[in-house]
Amino acid sequence: MPVTDKYFMALAAVRKICCIGAGYVGGPTMAVIADRCPEIEVTVVDLNAARIAAWNSLDLAQLPIYEPGLDAVLQRARGRNLHFSTDVDQAIAAADMVFLSVNTPTKTRGVGAGQASDLRWIEACTRQVAAAAKGHTIVVEKSTLPVRTAETIQAILAAAQVGEDKSFAVLSNPEFLAEGTAINDLENPDRVLIGGNDAAALNALAEIYEHWVPTVKILRTNLWSSELSKLTANAFLAQRISSINSIAALCEATGADVKEVAKAIGSDSRIGNRFLQSGPGYGGSCFQKDILNLVYLCGYYGLAEVASYWQQVVQLNNWQQQRIARLVVQKLFNTVNGKRIAMLGFAFKANTNDTRESPAIRIAKELLEEGAQLAIHDPKVNPDQISKDLAQPPGLDMAADVHGGWSMAPSPLEACIGADAVIVVTEWQQYFHLDWQAIYAVMRKPAWLFDTRAIADGKAALAAGMQVWTVGEG
Ligand code: NAD
Ligand code: UGA
């Protein structure tokens, strides 16, 4: 098709979308777009054939990610106008609009290691779009990217246009969904952000969202503001968590209660009451990597003071996780060697099976290092994932006096049998109302509850005979 024909079709309306990356963002985001725009054919592609097979599974319990409400959306759209495929080239060639939704983790080696984003997957899929696209294609950055990445994408696409019957427009459209509430966040977003300077492309993308999002909530900015807003939003959210966790430690030392402090300050409408829940430190795939990326960018642009300001948010978070692990050891008479400890929750937050950067990992590793025997319960995380995260298979370590072991428990009560302590790490609903009398009865005494989320019924646990430590309670 000549460039001009497809260009004018793109102006009229987007008919075919390709999304590269069938992960936590690509899958749910495209499912909602397909659900709300039945006239658009949406194909989500990925190099990972097992992941695509799981997305195509008839058994919805086998979907690659657990997200409340996702199954219902998929049931409506999958096979109708939502498809999952490994044929990346074909989906790109057919598309008017291609979303890049691939992973952008922190670099582990080379320049910027430990801070900068690793952009190899973004570059690889951009090159694939450059090669496989036909006619006019709108390329949308959905991944979270360092500010000015669009420049790289434009340069690669521009080189591919020379002498070819193809053209491109590049937009930034960062995603703000949170795991566990992704479907609601996508269906009722606070805002949709679109950055770019190609008016036709901006309109085409805005028109898709206008199927269900009020126009006033669709914000348009230049490319760089859009890219930087995403990093900034995550940095501000994470900063609130580090702020409240720093105050939690002070509450514990002074007799104040962080929940009361959070309520008191959150009632000030200038501060607001959300994201003030003290806990074991933030986890998840993005907060840490995005702040580190911000730190790297500030350093790159010569803003050393700004870099160290944001670096402190990450440091406080690491400290909070380490502080909790050490406190457990200290309360258990300064040794956990050979002791059974029940760990309730392994996901980085409730309502997801995602364990990336979960506080549970660092806390578990510190306790394993001390020789503890962990009995882990989580309603959605599977043992294979925990084996990878802890870099050791389940089972009691033969050399238990130097390094601990772990096993999976089928229920919170079974995790606690013979345990000296139970640590609540994830705020799963079922941990709010545990039967503390039954738990106390099966534990070794003195029995401890360490509630890192301040969600358990501490009074009931105390009444049952447990010793109780709750984050932020003096
Ligand atoms: P993910 O790791 O779950 O998924 C990324 C997928 O991209 C993987 O399945 C991988 O196989 C695939 N992929 C990588 N390179 C490819 C290529 N060249 N061709 C085809 N497939 C390829 O990651 P995610 O959690 O979905 O995050 C994706 C991006 O969205 C990241 O930049 C992240 O920062 C951002 N983000 C994530 C969230 C979240 O809640 N997870 C929220 C907002 C933004
Ligand atoms: C976060 C942001 O909330 C999303 O807007 C963003 O799109 C996403 O990162 C991303 O870019 O990946 P997510 O990490 O999925 O979403 O989940 P959050 O609800 O933000 O929780 C992150 C971590 O902070 C969790 O470990 C959670 O337990 C912790 N948290 C959250 C607290 O400790 N206290 C709070 O008050 C809130």
Side-chain angles (χ1 to χ4, degrees):
M1 185 190 305
V3 168
T4 42
D5 289 3
K6 204 172 163 203
Y7 185 69
F8 286 118
M9 274 180 63
L11 284 184
V14 170
R15 294 270 155 236
K16 286 196 173 169
I17 288 176
C18 162
C19 172
I20 307 180
Y24 283 87
V25 169
T29 308
M30 291 303 127
V32 169
I33 289 181
D35 189 29
R36 298 302 177 123
C37 310
E39 80 283 11
I40 301 179
E41 286 292 317
V42 180
T43 305
V44 188
V45 292
D46 205 294
L47 298 172
N48 184 336
R51 211 165 203 190
I52 290 298
W55 278 111
N56 282 322
S57 172
L58 293 179
D59 176 4
L60 292 173
Q62 300 302 317
L63 292 178
I65 66 176
Y66 171 69
E67 194 59 58
L70 175 62
D71 48 358
V73 177
L74 274 184
Q75 255 169 337
R76 289 195 291 270
R78 201 176 57 176
R80 181 189 70 186
N81 64 327
L82 175 65
H83 315 280
F84 293 91
S85 163
T86 50
D87 196 338
V88 182
D89 281 347
Q90 195 188 33
I92 293 171
D96 314 304
M97 182 174 276
V98 177
F99 286 83
L100 309 181
S101 189
V102 297
N103 36 318
T104 52
T106 305
K107 274 183 89 173
T108 53
R109 54 206 289 198
V111 176
Q115 285 189 337
S117 286
D118 193 337
L119 296 179
R120 76 176 94 162
W121 293 277
I122 269 290
E123 177 165 345
C125 68
T126 303
R127 287 187 183 278
Q128 201 162 357
V129 173
K134 290 194 163 59
H136 185 70
T137 308
I138 300 170
V139 178
V140 184
E141 296 176 341
K142 185 51 103 177
S143 297
T144 302
L145 297 167
V147 55
R148 295 200 81 89
T149 302
E151 216 163 35
T152 306
I153 293 174
Q154 281 167 330
I156 292 169
L157 297 174
Q161 273 178 233
V162 180
E164 294 280 334
D165 194 17
K166 55 175 90 180
S167 62
F168 300 97
V170 177
L171 299 175
S172 161
N173 172 222
E175 185 48 60
F176 295 100
L177 68 80
E179 290 177 29
T181 53
I183 300 301
N184 186 51
D185 295 342
L186 288 164
E187 291 181 338
N188 307 291
D190 287 345
R191 77 321 208 168
V192 165
L193 179 58
I194 307 178
N197 44 22
D198 181 317
L202 276 163
N203 288 338
L205 183 53
E207 212 171 276
I208 292 172
Y209 286 110
E210 277 163 0
H211 280 68
W212 76 97
V213 180
T215 307
V216 289
K217 287 192 172 183
I218 302 176
L219 311 182
R220 298 175 186 220
T221 66
N222 76 31
L223 273 168
W224 322 130
S225 303
S226 173
E227 290 176 332
L228 186 55
S229 297
K230 173 64 198 177
L231 292 181
T232 308
N234 276 357
F236 271 56
L237 289 169
Q239 181 196 42
R240 279 175 76 95
I241 300 169
S242 281
S243 297
I244 200 69
N245 284 340
S246 73
I247 298 302
L250 192 56
C251 287
E252 290 163 30
T254 58
D257 180 335
V258 76
K259 275 190 176 162
E260 292 177 352
V261 174
K263 189 169 182 195
I265 64 166
S267 305
D268 184 328
S269 59
R270 294 168 302 174
I271 295 175
N273 60 10
R274 298 180 66 191
F275 259 72
L276 285 178
Q277 177 73 44
S278 167
Y282 59 76
S285 62
C286 293
F287 279 174
Q288 174 163 302
K289 93 167 160 64
D290 292 346
I291 302 180
L292 289 172
N293 188 211
L294 195 62
V295 169
Y296 179 75
L297 285 166
C298 293
Y300 177 85
Y301 287 103
L303 301 167
E305 286 76 8
V306 186
S308 70
Y309 175 77
W310 288 109
Q311 178 72 45
Q312 197 54 36
V313 173
V314 178
Q315 263 163 246
L316 198 291
N317 197 58
N318 293 340
W319 173 78
Q320 175 78 343
Q321 293 175 7
Q322 200 176 56
R323 174 175 96 85
I324 289 173
R326 295 194 175 167
L327 185 137
V328 171
V329 176
Q330 186 228 320
K331 299 274 190 206
L332 297 183
F333 308 119
N334 287 309
T335 175
V336 292
N337 194 283
K339 290 181 182 169
R340 182 172 163 104
I341 295 179
M343 206 168 177
L344 301 189
F346 204 82
F348 81 95
K349 62 183 282 196
N351 295 319
T352 178
N353 61 342
D354 196 348
T355 63
R356 290 178 290 180
E357 303 295 339
S358 176
I361 300 173
R362 180 181 294 237
I363 293 171
K365 280 187 169 171
E366 291 250 353
L367 295 174
L368 288 172
E369 188 64 28
E370 296 280 342
Q373 302 299 325
L374 303 178
I376 301 173
H377 174 265
D378 190 288
K380 291 294 172 191
V381 177
N382 74 49
D384 291 345
Q385 187 57 50
I386 298 178
S387 291
K388 281 187 208 143
D389 291 335
L390 297 181
Q392 73 178 78
L396 299 187
D397 199 307
M398 293 311 286
D401 59 333
V402 277
H403 197 269
W406 69 274
S407 60
M408 205 76 198
S411 71
L413 184 63
E414 282 157 284
C416 293
I417 296 173
D420 287 46
V422 48
I423 313 177
V424 177
V425 187
T426 311
E427 75 284 22
W428 286 104
Q429 194 62 38
Q430 61 176 284
Y431 303 152
F432 282 62
H433 305 290
L434 294 166
D435 180 347
W436 286 107
Q437 289 209 331
I439 289 176
Y440 181 70
V442 298
M443 291 179 74
R444 193 164 81 152
K445 318 297 183 300
W448 272 93
L449 160 64
F450 296 97
D451 184 0
T452 74
R453 296 277 183 177
I455 54 146
D457 187 344
K459 282 198 184 112
L462 264 179
M466 309 269 311
Q467 315 265 1
V468 178
W469 174 86
T470 303
V471 70
E473 255 182 39

